[in-house]
Amino acid sequence: MTYLSPPPPNVPAVIIDGGGLVDQYYKQTEIYRMTNQVVKLVNCRSACTMALSLPNACVYPHSVLKFHAAYNANTKEIVASETARLFAMY
């Protein structure tokens, strides 16, 4: 499942996600935090790595996590403020 499409409450979120907009992922991370949801990262590129800040985040020896700076999807220019927000979660 993707990070932004969580399962019902009390069901672990098993994440296979290609990333997206930092703001959307930040909001979902705070929902996971408030609900104390278990988030299991299997394959996570980009913004879903914010789950690493959660108390109930799980990674496996075979998990793949990819990190990069946030960028504007149209111009491909790095957005420093969003990159800082993303990295501050770690």
Side-chain angles (χ1 to χ4, degrees):
M1 81 184 31
T2 67
Y3 198 75
L4 299 178
S5 301
N10 300 318
V11 175
V14 179
I15 306 299
I16 299 173
D17 193 288
L21 299 175
V22 172
D23 190 53
Q24 291 175 336
Y25 282 74
Y26 180 84
K27 289 175 184 173
Q28 185 59 47
T29 300
E30 292 310 306
I31 291 169
Y32 285 136
R33 188 180 318 285
M34 288 186 298
T35 60
N36 208 30
Q37 183 105 19
V38 173
V39 177
K40 299 179 178 187
L41 299 175
V42 176
N43 191 318
C44 175
R45 294 186 294 145
S46 191
C48 54
T49 59
M50 283 192 261
L52 295 172
S53 72
L54 297 170
N56 289 328
C58 302
V59 294
Y60 303 97
H62 65 275
S63 293
V64 176
L65 306 178
K66 296 183 179 184
F67 302 85
H68 64 83
Y71 62 91
N72 181 303
N74 295 322
T75 65
K76 307 299 185 211
E77 293 178 4
I78 291 175
V79 180
S81 61
E82 289 299 285
T83 298
R85 185 178 187 192
L86 174 63
F87 289 1
M89 295 294 290
Y90 307 138

